[in-house]
Amino acid sequence: MRIESELKRKKIGVLMGGMSSEREVSLRTGETVYQTLVDRGYNATKVFVDRDVDLVLRQAGIEVAFLALRGRFGEDGCIQGLLEILGIPYTGSGVIASALSMNKVKAKELFRLHNLPTPPYYVLGRPALDDLVTEHGSFGFPVVVKPVCEGSSIGVAIARNHEELRQAVENAFLFDDAVMVERHIRGVEVQVAVLDGQAIGGIEVSSKGGMLDYQAKTMLGRTTCHFPARLSPPRYHGVLVQAQKAHQVLGCKGLTLVDMIVSDLGNEYLLELNTLPSITATSLVPKIAHGAGLDFGDLIETVLGSACLKARGDQTYQERDPYQHGFQRDDEQLAPGAFTAN
Ligand SMILES: Nc1ncnc2c1ncn2[C@@H]1O[C@H](COP(=O)(O)OP(=O)(O)O)[C@@H](O)[C@H]1O
Ligand SMILES: [Mg+2]
């Protein structure tokens, strides 16, 4: 394949680590992706992301970025914006789609706008802690409390009464300034992988504790999976269609993993969409891909093949200029660190 051979000549940076609470998951995905790319003959290098990521990216001289990051700064549009500015094509969704998907409330607003089913919810700011009972009003129980912009079930808890609600909300505020309270849906949890705009399959997941908590999501043996999800053919088809639409309305690219619940009454609900799902030997996406006929290496190569710049087409510039230009005279170069006032 022409694209593949072109990519084999490029220096590919696997961006991993990052500054979010999901750093560990990111490092595992990054190691796996790096090893797979090397085994398949790519010129891959590991790029550990921290606050100095801009310097590291300039020095590493990578031509394509494979994003193995998670959570804040990595999955929310920040690193995507930096890569756009540096002109380095990257895997996954662009700035806006990443930011919208990371914010569970904004994502739900878009689902509702496009008539996609999602559980009822309301949002709290810190002042709400003064009178949570009034804020909650007649919303009812049980509910699921989540920080608006986290992942991997960090800060997520079920509350069955006002006391548990207060505890869960206070805990969620440790992770974010906005907290969402969502109606708890009893049913089967299904996660659907969407690759290049096509839903490739849905896997049913459950954990011993009921909710898929951080431990269940990140540790082997805590979750039970069934692929494909044990739903009737029309219901399974419905779940794939809704997930594909969710990917579309948020404007996502490359690979995404859509969290859904099919209620005991048979209704489908969208919970959220992950723009950079983990890809390790034990994670869900490779299992779904395998069911769709893609082995692990094929999956990684397909994701890599979709890397591009979203804001300005695929026009990379190879020459990076370490000097800052003045605003008035383009030809004037300032010493590093200096800047002009106008
Ligand atoms: N409304 C809900 N009803 C039932 N379970 C839920 C609901 N929302 C979340 N959960 C459970 O909590 C887990 C984490 O919630 P999710 O919204 O996917 O956030 P995260 O970004 O942390 O994965 C889900 O995988 C599911 O097991
Ligand atoms: Mg989730």
Side-chain angles (χ1 to χ4, degrees):
M1 224 164 80
R2 199 176 64 84
I3 298 177
E4 189 190 299
S5 56
E6 265 176 31
L7 276 168
K8 283 212 164 130
R9 282 199 294 274
K10 297 205 169 183
K11 188 166 178 189
I12 296 158
V14 181
L15 272 59
M16 62 175 101
M19 295 159 277
S20 84
S21 43
E22 295 176 89
R23 187 180 159 80
E24 291 304 313
V25 193
S26 161
L27 289 172
R28 282 206 293 273
T29 293
E31 290 293 342
T32 313
V33 169
Y34 167 77
Q35 203 49 59
T36 308
L37 288 175
V38 169
D39 290 348
R40 292 233 168 177
Y42 289 91
N43 176 15
T45 182
K46 297 181 203 173
V47 178
F48 293 98
V49 172
D50 61 14
R51 287 264 172 213
D52 294 326
V53 59
D54 56 330
L55 289 174
V56 174
L57 282 172
R58 282 174 190 273
Q59 283 161 5
I62 62 165
E63 294 163 280
V64 179
F66 194 115
L67 299 190
L69 295 163
R70 293 286 299 261
R72 204 160 288 179
F73 299 126
E75 201 171 353
D76 62 1
C78 290
I79 200 86
Q80 289 78 2
L82 180 61
L83 291 163
E84 291 283 348
I85 292 170
L86 295 177
I88 301 172
Y90 55 97
T91 57
S93 299
V95 173
I96 297 176
S98 302
L100 288 171
S101 307
M102 187 73 198
N103 185 309
K104 292 189 170 77
V105 172
K106 291 292 162 216
K108 280 168 79 84
E109 285 173 3
L110 268 166
F111 296 158
R112 284 158 56 106
L113 190 65
H114 291 269
N115 205 23
L116 299 176
T118 186
Y121 68 103
Y122 66 92
V123 185
L124 297 170
R126 281 181 202 277
L129 282 171
D130 293 341
D131 193 0
L132 214 46
V133 174
T134 309
E135 288 285 343
H136 193 67
S138 59
F139 195 79
F141 290 101
V143 291
V144 181
V145 178
K146 340 179 168 177
V148 168
C149 295
E150 272 297 339
S152 289
S153 296
I154 290 163
V156 178
I158 298 181
R160 293 173 191 81
N161 52 48
H162 283 292
E163 206 182 304
E164 288 181 4
L165 177 68
R166 168 158 290 277
Q167 263 175 21
V169 170
E170 281 178 358
N171 183 55
F173 273 128
L174 298 177
F175 302 95
D176 203 346
D177 291 330
V179 167
M180 178 166 75
V181 179
E182 191 177 55
R183 173 133 332 131
H184 178 267
I185 307 293
R186 258 179 68 125
V188 174
E189 184 158 355
V190 181
Q191 305 211 341
V192 179
V194 182
L195 186 56
D196 292 337
Q198 292 292 316
I200 59 169
I203 193 163
E204 180 184 330
V205 266
S206 57
S207 85
K208 287 177 190 130
M211 201 187 83
L212 288 186
D213 58 13
Y214 184 75
Q215 303 282 323
K217 279 183 183 171
T218 54
M219 283 163 66
L220 238 179
R222 297 279 304 238
T223 43
T224 314
C225 307
H226 293 277
F227 184 85
R230 295 168 300 176
L231 299 169
S232 68
R235 186 61 65 211
Y236 185 67
H237 178 71
V239 161
L240 297 194
V241 169
Q242 302 287 15
Q244 200 170 298
K245 282 187 187 162
H247 176 106
Q248 226 167 45
V249 303
L250 289 169
C252 294
K253 294 254 181 323
L255 173 70
T256 60
L257 187 64
V258 187
D259 284 3
M260 299 187 67
I261 294 194
V262 179
S263 74
D264 293 347
L265 296 172
N267 295 313
E268 298 140 6
Y269 292 94
L270 288 160
L271 292 183
E272 57 138 5
L273 179 149
N274 302 287
T275 49
L276 291 175
S278 66
I279 317 177
T280 65
T282 56
S283 59
L284 297 173
V285 173
K287 292 189 177 73
I288 302 172
H290 179 76
L294 280 174
D295 74 18
F296 199 87
D298 295 343
L299 171 68
I300 305 273
E301 282 193 292
T302 310
V303 173
L304 177 66
S306 68
C308 61
L309 285 169
K310 282 78 179 176
R312 48 196 288 274
D314 215 348
Q315 311 153 19
T316 49
Y317 54 88
Q318 302 303 325
E319 291 296 317
R320 305 249 170 76
D321 186 349
Y323 297 102
Q324 199 166 34
H325 291 272
F327 290 113
Q328 285 176 332
R329 284 183 51 200
D330 280 349
D331 56 342
E332 185 184 17
Q333 290 196 339
L334 301 171
F339 70 98
T340 49
N342 52 350

